[in-house]
Amino acid sequence: MASRISITELAQEWLRLDQNPETRKEISTLLETNNNAELEARLRNHIEFGTAGLRASMEAGFSRMNDLTVIQASQGLCLYVLEHVKDAKERGVVIGHDHRHHSNDFARLTAGVFLSKGVKVYAYKDLVHTPMVPFGVKSLNAACGIMITASHNPKKDNGYKVYWGNACQIIPPHDEGIAKMILDNLDPWVWDYKSFENPALIDPTDKLVPAYFDQVEKLCIAKEDNAASDTKFVYTAMHGVGYPFAKQVFERFGFKPLIPTKEQIEPDPEFPTVVFPNPEEGKGALALAFKTADEVGATVVFANDPDADRFTVAEKQDNGEWILFTGNQIGTMFACNALENWRSSGKSDAKVAMLCSTVSSNMLAKVSKTEGIHWEDTLTGFKWIGNRAIDLEKEGYNVIFGYEEAIGFMLGDIVRDKDGVSALGCFAQMTAALYKKGVKISGYLDSLYKKYGYFVSANSYFICYEKETIDRIFNKMRFGASPQNDETGRFSHKPTYPTHIGPHKVTNVRDLTLGYDTSKKDGVPTLPVSPSAQMITFYLENGCVFTLRTSGTEPKIKYYLEVSSSTQQEAELQAKEIEAAMCSQLLEPEVNGLQYRVSA
């Protein structure tokens, strides 16, 4: 919306377009009470469509998730797909949804938009975990897919995740093309809550859920041993959709039933027992699962996030302490186990590749170099990992594993996306084999450290809601305290990054926002550049690498720091020291009013 339009006119435009009585009332009340500040926040800007699709809090307004903005997004996506995908009407769209407030309505409204243009619609009418949408796109050769979910975000949020016809999340330039098409088609064509009752709509659940598990079951290589295992596994769905899928993968792998954390097993959009429904947030998020495990005498806890595309694991040690493994640690164990299974399969002469995001551990690179297999890193997000995996397949590689440190894991080629359910089955299988040999998970990880070196990470985030503050922080890293702009608003000189972080010399810097890499002769980085997101990586003389970046879906400045050494103690000491220096020197939390992460 143009800035010259008054806030009253914007509110009237909302009321003209919106057909939901509840959200109409929200805006009407704000108008009546002259709450212009809140109206500005909600109406002045349109919710931004990017490679992550949409994600925002659920309330009235053009910048929020609600019936109107979901319909508008669906209209833009529908027209873009019809224009750019051959036979899109016949190939159709796959739609899924989780259990969050309004997810069912958003899925129905989305289906109604596509049906109104004669597009074939496959919609899972019941709850599914997110990987069922890309699996559906791949299995049905659909033109695109949409999952209504906000993953592990707080309960007030919802989202709209888009998959392209290759069954991967969209990457540029599709995001920009879809965003433009949305803004060109803001008047609703249809407002159909009853689309799931339309006889033209197809529910693929009965066909595709068994087909999905048939594929996942192929990752099972030791069903008899799994069935004989006495290992007890406690599971939490984090109030999400995962339990029926987790239960079935355990059955397919031959295990005795999972032991559920009863307080968190049923889908509940209120997420009553956790501040953040994210198992990555720390031991607090898994407190009830630990309590259940202690009660039943289990030493292993598994968790999925609410839409079950992420997975994590914790293990009770002999001293009674619970260790919650990081995404990097789980990823390294998965990678080494996948490689071992691949070689045992008799296919070790084939070209094998593994992938991880650029903010994930360098340990996978070390493993791959040592073992003589192909490895690459990508930009953050499985949209990049999945699309690169497809490209490598075309080059003759078998991409047996990919991961990102945010507890996302891709086992095999069932979906080129993270999948917490296939990860659950495979990690349980690995754990059972270790326990049979009398080896704990932590012991297996330590054996990998001894072989490849100790890699210690310090990953966390600060919360910041002001874009201006975030831009100022990152631009100070690039240009010092007083960056100079030319008349066009662009910076008028080359960046002058810090030469030291604490006592440690900076050897090179890669800035994927500006598109600048000091290690390259031409200054051009090999990874794609994204001017709309902040991301800078620093390489230190002692081998430490750390990245600072903004989140595409949350108001966070995230950082990922890693140090490797021949001993764990030395690596941990260096990581702690450099983390403190990085935060105080580059982020200046007190000066910039940053809020450190809150434990779940």
Side-chain angles (χ1 to χ4, degrees), residues 121-136:
V121 173
Y122 301 94
Y124 300 104
K125 293 183 180 180
D126 206 350
L127 306 179
V128 292
H129 74 316
T130 289
M132 285 307 307
V133 170
F135 183 78

Side-chain angles (χ1 to χ4, degrees), residues 569-589:
Q569 183 179 21
E570 177 60 26
E572 288 176 347
L573 284 172
Q574 287 194 40
K576 187 175 182 180
E577 173 207 339
I578 298 169
E579 179 186 21
M582 175 199 69
C583 289
S584 62
Q585 185 177 333
L586 299 183
L587 296 177
E588 301 177 288

Side-chain angles (χ1 to χ4, degrees), residues 473-485:
I473 290 169
F474 278 89
N475 286 331
K476 186 176 180 181
M477 293 181 211
R478 298 180 176 107
F479 302 103
S482 302
Q484 300 296 313
N485 293 27

Side-chain angles (χ1 to χ4, degrees), residues 477 496-510 518-519 536-546 578 585-586:
M477 293 181 211
T496 52
Y497 302 101
T499 59
H500 290 76
I501 302 298
H504 300 283
K505 183 179 179 181
V506 176
T507 56
N508 64 283
V509 179
R510 183 184 64 194
T518 62
S519 70
I536 305 178
T537 301
F538 291 83
Y539 299 81
L540 306 187
E541 193 171 41
N542 70 339
C544 173
V545 180
F546 66 85
I578 298 169
Q585 185 177 333
L586 299 183

Side-chain angles (χ1 to χ4, degrees), residues 147 253 281 487:
M147 179 66 188
F253 272 60
E281 285 291 338
E487 64 277 2

Side-chain angles (χ1 to χ4, degrees), residues 212 216 219 249 302 304 309-311 334 408-411 419-429:
Y212 165 79
V216 172
L219 298 171
V249 80
F302 290 150
N304 287 136
D309 63 351
R310 287 177 167 88
F311 164 81
F334 263 138
F409 311 101
M410 177 183 73
L411 285 302
D419 184 350
V421 171
S422 60
L424 176 75
C426 289
F427 205 93
Q429 181 171 253

Side-chain angles (χ1 to χ4, degrees), residues 124-291:
Y124 300 104
K125 293 183 180 180
D126 206 350
L127 306 179
V128 292
H129 74 316
T130 289
M132 285 307 307
V133 170
F135 183 78
V137 173
K138 177 182 175 182
S139 301
L140 299 167
N141 189 33
C144 72
I146 300 145
M147 179 66 188
I148 306 296
T149 181
S151 188
H152 55 276
N153 275 40
K155 67 178 183 180
K156 64 183 177 58
D157 291 353
N158 214 327
Y160 186 102
K161 181 179 285 190
V162 178
Y163 293 85
W164 199 240
N166 64 354
C168 284
Q169 295 176 52
I170 57 169
I171 57 174
H174 295 313
D175 56 332
E176 294 176 3
I178 295 166
K180 183 179 184 304
M181 200 71 84
I182 291 170
L183 295 177
D184 290 342
N185 295 274
L186 295 177
D187 279 36
W189 308 331
V190 63
W191 204 291
D192 186 3
Y193 293 115
K194 297 183 178 180
S195 65
F196 279 14
E197 286 72 63
N198 189 322
L201 182 141
I202 302 165
D203 184 347
T205 303
D206 291 344
K207 174 184 176 182
L208 291 188
V209 171
Y212 165 79
F213 281 105
D214 288 345
Q215 292 295 311
V216 172
E217 191 173 343
K218 292 178 181 178
L219 298 171
C220 178
I221 60 172
K223 185 173 285 191
E224 290 185 5
D225 290 342
N226 295 343
S229 174
D230 291 326
T231 305
K232 294 180 179 179
F233 297 99
V234 165
Y235 172 78
T236 174
M238 206 61 64
H239 298 296
V241 303
Y243 182 56
F245 297 93
K247 181 180 178 182
Q248 190 162 343
V249 80
F250 251 52
E251 292 171 358
R252 291 291 192 114
F253 272 60
F255 285 106
K256 296 178 178 67
L258 277 168
I259 301 168
T261 304
K262 293 180 181 178
E263 300 93 332
Q264 297 176 332
I265 213 66
E266 292 296 327
D268 187 338
E270 287 295 311
F271 303 104
T273 69
V274 284
V275 177
F276 298 109
N278 183 359
E280 192 186 8
E281 285 291 338
K283 294 180 180 179
L286 297 177
L288 286 173
F290 293 158
K291 180 175 179 288

